[in-house]
């Protein structure tokens, strides 16, 4: 299972305890690939409603972020790569069953045509890697939600035959018109890899909540270190990952369509986990800091 979590918040009162508890719970989850059927089965709607409510109390988010550029790199010993990521709404997706995202009119939200953004890229062990986020806007109907789930599953199944079919009962019990889906995945030398992750995320104008991250590439070997993709609150201007063996990887999150979150992707430092992940606001102040969730080895 890929490592998924709710980012923490350092607000006062009773909120930190709630978020710390969520972080400890998520930190116990084993990393790897998350089959989509497991994400939608077993009453996900009830769980994510509670999760959205809890995280929303601890986070004040700004919706409708547009544009953005990210520069990622590693300082210190054993640098893996220097990478640049740019936001886009009409991009080719090498090795993806989804092909090229269709351009959309401003404000258009098509549940069957995701917005794809490359949120990180670079080289590692002589291979080119790219981190991608596909934002699937919520469907206004259950019928449309089933079609969307089938489209997401088809993309994933094309590179991972272990992904199981979507059932009507899953959609009937878990569909929510106020929640989008984001699919994290990555390519190596232009080919989409088997490990990916699907997350529920608040739609624009909905109740704000955390989105989470994943370490991809722990289950299926790809010839490069795992790729980390995370969604963060809109006010996060920079993320710094300090590695246990030294060195720091920095990333600037970018916008993905009209999602009220920003996203980034980095490649892990070989042979080590993160000692700390720190999120910074544009003025340099710390938005949050954690040492509990990221596993990459």
């Amino acid at each position: 299972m890929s490592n998924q979590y709710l980012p923490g918040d350092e607000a006062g009162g009773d909120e930190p305890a709630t978020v710390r508890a969520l972080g400890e719970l998520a930190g116990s989850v084993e990393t790897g690939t998350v089959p989509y059927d497991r994400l939608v089965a077993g009453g996900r709607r009830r769980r994510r409603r509670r999760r959205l409510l809890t995280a929303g109390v601890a986070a004040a988010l700004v919706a409708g972020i547009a544009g953005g550029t990210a520069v990622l790199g590693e300082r210190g010993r054993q640098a893996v790569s220097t990478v640049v990521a740019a936001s886009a709404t009409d991009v080719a997706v090498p090795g993806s069953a989804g092909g090229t995202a269709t351009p959309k009119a401003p404000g258009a939200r098509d549940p069957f045509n995701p917005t794809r953004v490359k949120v990180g890229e670079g080289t590692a062990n002589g291979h080119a890697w790219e981190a991608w986020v596909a934002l699937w806007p919520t469907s206004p109907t259950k019928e449309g939600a089933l079609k969307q789930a089938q489209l997401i599953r088809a993309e994933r199944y094309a590179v991972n035959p272990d992904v199981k079919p979507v059932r009507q009962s899953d959609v009937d019990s878990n569909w929510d018109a106020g929640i989008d889906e984001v699919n994290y995945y990555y390519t190596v030398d232009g080919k989409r890899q088997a490990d990916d992750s699907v997350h529920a995320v608040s739609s624009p104008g909905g109740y704000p909540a955390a989105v989470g991250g994943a370490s991809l590439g722990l289950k299926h070997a790809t010839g490069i270190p795992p790729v980390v993709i995370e969604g963060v609150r809109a006010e996060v201007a920079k993320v710094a990952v300090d590695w246990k063996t030294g060195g720091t990887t920095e990333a600037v999150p970018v916008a993905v369509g009209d999602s009220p979150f920003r996203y980034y992707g980095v490649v892990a430092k070989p042979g080590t986990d993160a000692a700390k992940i720190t999120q910074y606001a544009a003025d340099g102040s710390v938005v949050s800091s954690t040492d509990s969730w990221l596993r990459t080895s």
Side-chain angles (χ1 to χ4, degrees), residues 57-152:
V57 172
L61 303 178
V62 179
I65 301 299
T69 301
V71 179
L72 289 69
E74 185 169 16
R75 301 194 306 268
R77 299 175 298 163
Q78 299 181 10
V80 175
S81 62
T82 299
V83 290
V84 176
S87 68
T89 56
D90 182 15
V91 291
V93 185
S96 169
T100 301
T102 303
K104 304 175 183 63
R109 307 193 85 233
D110 185 348
F112 312 128
N113 184 20
T115 295
R116 302 180 191 277
V117 176
K118 182 169 58 178
V119 299
E121 64 179 346
T123 58
N125 298 339
H127 298 280
W129 64 270
E130 296 178 345
W132 288 86
V133 173
L135 172 67
W136 293 82
T138 187
S139 169
T141 66
K142 287 186 179 180
E143 292 76 15
L146 177 61
K147 178 180 177 181
Q148 181 189 82
Q150 291 170 337
L151 290 171
I152 296 173

Side-chain angles (χ1 to χ4, degrees), residues 34-199:
V34 179
Y36 183 75
D37 64 303
R38 292 183 60 187
L39 286 173
V40 300
R44 183 186 63 177
R45 184 178 184 180
R46 293 187 298 274
R47 292 196 302 274
R48 69 183 177 186
R49 277 187 180 276
R50 292 194 297 268
R51 193 166 56 190
L52 291 174
L53 178 61
T54 302
V57 172
L61 303 178
V62 179
I65 301 299
T69 301
V71 179
L72 289 69
E74 185 169 16
R75 301 194 306 268
R77 299 175 298 163
Q78 299 181 10
V80 175
S81 62
T82 299
V83 290
V84 176
S87 68
T89 56
D90 182 15
V91 291
V93 185
S96 169
T100 301
T102 303
K104 304 175 183 63
R109 307 193 85 233
D110 185 348
F112 312 128
N113 184 20
T115 295
R116 302 180 191 277
V117 176
K118 182 169 58 178
V119 299
E121 64 179 346
T123 58
N125 298 339
H127 298 280
W129 64 270
E130 296 178 345
W132 288 86
V133 173
L135 172 67
W136 293 82
T138 187
S139 169
T141 66
K142 287 186 179 180
E143 292 76 15
L146 177 61
K147 178 180 177 181
Q148 181 189 82
Q150 291 170 337
L151 290 171
I152 296 173
R153 189 260 180 181
E155 288 194 6
R156 305 180 69 226
Y157 182 79
V159 293
N160 183 2
D162 293 333
V163 177
K164 296 179 180 178
V166 178
R167 298 173 297 181
Q168 178 68 55
S169 59
D170 295 329
V171 174
D172 289 343
S173 60
N174 299 305
W175 166 78
D176 190 313
I179 297 178
D180 294 339
E181 301 281 354
V182 288
N183 183 201
Y184 299 159
Y185 62 94
Y186 70 112
T187 66
V188 176
D189 295 332
K191 182 180 180 181
R192 178 167 172 163
Q193 302 300 300
D195 283 6
D196 74 340
S197 185
V198 179
H199 297 250

Side-chain angles (χ1 to χ4, degrees), residues 2-30:
S2 53
N3 193 1
Q4 304 178 64
Y5 79 110
L6 298 177
D9 190 289
E10 302 301 324
D14 295 332
E15 296 168 4
T18 301
V19 176
R20 284 196 298 271
L22 288 171
E24 292 171 359
L25 175 62
S28 67
V29 178
E30 182 181 357

Side-chain angles (χ1 to χ4, degrees), residues 234-245:
E235 65 265 36
V236 176
K238 183 180 74 172
V239 177
V241 183
D242 297 324
W243 303 102
K244 290 182 178 180
T245 57

